[in-house]
Amino acid sequence: MVEKNSKKLSASFEENIRYMNEILPVKESFDIIRRDIVIGGKASVFYYIDGFIKDEVMLKIMDSFLSVPEEDMPEDAETFIQKQVPYVEVDIAEDFDDVIRNVLSGPACLFIDGYKECILLDCRTYPARSVDEPDKDKSLRGSRDGFVETIVFNTALMRRRIRDPHLIMEMTEAGQASRTDIAICYMSDRVDRELLDNLKKRIESLQLGDLRMNQQSLAEALFKRKWFNPFPKFKYTERPDTAAACLLEGKVILLVDNSPSAMILPTSILDMIEEANDYYFPTVTAVYLKTTRTLITIATVFFTPLYLLFMQNLEWLPDVFEFVAVRDTVNIPLIFQFLLLEISIDGLRLAAMNTPTMLSTPLSVIAGIVMGEFSVQSGWFNSEVMLYMAFVAVANYTQPNFELGYALKFMRLMLLVLTALFDLYGFIAGCILVLCFLIFNKTLSGRNYMNIKLN
């Protein structure tokens, strides 16, 4: 929980300004602006952040304030807001914690001599990109907008889709230094109240200095995962239509300021492999796509370990599948070929991520073709191994969750090593371990990936 400064504003205008000047580095930081003006014959001071304020709006507000005659100046801040503030988003703060938090978040704070409250004018604007469709979470049909780094824009994208008074969006914050805004979104008539209460208690009890990595820092603080279980405990989406659909299913959405994705709770293995296309096609097509994706996901885990098992026991191979046996001379054991290719594929992926966009595609094609062809000819790898690893590399992109993809990769590596060391018994033990990782992967809802309640 963020530690609050409970110091109340004083009735003395000079004392309030002195305290603000002590807390805020007005002279040291060029972007923290203090603007002294006279409103209705009373000394007044604005505090705001340069770059967060809409200049045109602030100009009109100040022009209106400067035209207030002294005889029309109200006695208190509440009446001043009602009669003299020509703006919509306005509030009053009575303690310095709210004032400092608002100044650093973007709203302008106004102190007027004789008023014991501070007037907050939310005329901020954040630097933001357009709500384009996300690169990772694409859909063949449906909307082409996506979440951005500004939390208010993201809540508006969901509110636009769900025009229901039961849609609640509660705002809180975490991080003593970052004071990061967090929005808890849910449908009050459909949400699991036990999950919602548990989530709120966890967020309120957080003892964090900051959320330096935004959503990921919050996820790690909410539910500390066991290092040996790589399966993700949260599902993320950058699509507002997917988030809206999950809200209508009774799930909870967490939005973190500065993060262009939403956290979805609770989640299961079926939720993880689900994507937006499943909502936009007829039932038969959607079931086919989901089934195909599930089968391919399973194949990415077990395909290469099964192949290794059969190559170690060629007598088990049915006659109809004799063509898959390794015919070339094996210079390097199969297990090392698979492990080297697993690392090489990740190396190519990292290289593609750090390559300029205009060069990434041609360089990836050249690297794949040249390295693949010459590695087979030089005797480092067998063509069959290259083929199966190419299938695994491509099949990893059939499911949208990046973290789940790497969790499945680690399961595949574990199966490969155990199969190479202990043959059939190792493969069976690896399958049992994979099942245990799924069953005992407890999520924030208290259930596992199979939606079974865990104590």
Side-chain angles (χ1 to χ4, degrees), residues 364-375:
S364 298
V365 173
I366 292 172
I369 293 176
V370 173
M371 292 178 63
E373 180 69 20
F374 282 95
S375 61

Side-chain angles (χ1 to χ4, degrees), residues 147 151 154-156 158-159 162 166-171 182-188 191 196 199-200 203 243-244 246-248 250-256 262-265:
F147 288 131
I151 193 171
N154 295 339
T155 56
M158 290 195 295
R159 181 72 71 177
I162 305 178
H166 292 103
L167 175 56
I168 308 298
M169 297 184 179
E170 298 184 18
M171 187 68 77
I182 302 170
I184 307 173
C185 312
Y186 58 92
M187 299 293 293
S188 59
V191 70
L196 181 63
L199 181 61
K200 288 182 179 179
I203 294 177
C246 291
L247 282 173
L248 294 173
K251 299 182 183 295
V252 180
I253 301 294
L254 285 183
L255 297 173
V256 180
M263 296 170 59
I264 303 174
L265 298 168

